[in-house]
Amino acid sequence: MDKFEQQAIDRLVHQTSPEDIRRVMENARDKSPAVHKAAFRRLVEVSAQDADDPISKACWEMVYTVEGIRKQLGRPVWRMNRLRPKIEKDGEIAALEYCARNRTDGFDEVLEYELAEFTAEAIILRFPDTFTDENLRGIARTRLVDAGVDVDAAVRG
């Protein structure tokens, strides 16, 4: 990474406008994968900033990550049309548990972009006081390990 890329990444921390962040992503798309990925992460953070608590924020970051990846890939249906109603009906915790118990396409898509910290599995392991079911945490850890993920790094976020 050169100094210009590092400067661009450093400036992203102060960006709060989704439009400005998208512009950085678009400009970096073919020029700098590091800046593109940093801008994508920042866009996810900004998109979920209105969540009420850390678990809700992490859940919505997961949703925005999957939707963002799908949109970038040009998929005709990129919104998480089944998970969003589940969140609305049952809440973020139940939705995260569902995702961890049932391997989803989103899991693989997020790992392809090397963003394991935005998987339901990593989120569940990050909040052991909320997700106390040992079996569930075992499923989450095993899925990440089997996928070759550095579990500690993913949990740290």
Side-chain angles (χ1 to χ4, degrees):
M1 177 179 330
D2 65 29
K3 73 176 188 176
F4 297 109
E5 288 174 308
Q6 188 59 55
Q7 289 172 346
I9 290 170
D10 292 344
R11 282 193 303 270
L12 280 168
V13 174
H14 306 290
Q15 291 286 344
T16 57
S17 163
E19 294 79 22
D20 291 345
I21 298 167
R22 281 190 194 92
R23 194 172 12 264
V24 171
M25 277 178 57
E26 206 46 50
N27 289 338
R29 180 181 301 277
D30 297 321
K31 299 174 192 149
S32 172
V35 173
H36 184 267
K37 187 176 277 188
F40 184 86
R41 276 190 168 101
R42 181 64 182 149
L43 181 60
V44 166
E45 291 171 3
V46 167
S47 297
Q49 70 187 359
D50 292 335
D52 296 337
D53 61 77
I55 295 171
S56 295
K57 183 177 189 300
C59 181
W60 284 105
E61 285 176 344
M62 176 192 70
V63 170
Y64 294 132
T65 298
V66 173
E67 289 180 348
I69 290 168
R70 290 175 178 174
K71 190 171 185 180
Q72 285 183 30
L73 294 174
R75 299 232 170 106
V77 177
W78 51 268
R79 289 181 61 90
M80 295 183 77
N81 291 325
R82 287 188 296 236
L83 190 62
R84 282 177 171 268
K86 180 156 193 62
I87 292 170
E88 201 168 300
K89 179 181 175 223
D90 301 328
E92 288 89 349
I93 291 171
L96 289 164
E97 289 173 346
Y98 172 83
C99 289
R101 290 187 192 283
N102 304 282
R103 186 175 182 136
T104 64
D105 291 339
F107 177 82
D108 296 319
E109 293 163 340
V110 170
L111 292 188
E112 275 184 49
Y113 269 69
E114 299 175 359
L115 297 169
E117 67 269 24
F118 295 115
T119 62
E121 292 76 4
I123 295 165
I124 284 168
L125 295 174
R126 192 175 308 137
F127 296 100
D129 292 341
T130 300
F131 299 99
T132 58
D133 180 343
E134 288 291 332
N135 185 44
L136 175 66
R137 291 203 327 263
I139 291 168
R141 181 172 297 284
T142 299
R143 185 165 299 136
L144 290 170
V145 168
D146 288 352
V149 171
D150 178 344
V151 174
D152 293 333
V155 170
R156 278 192 307 273

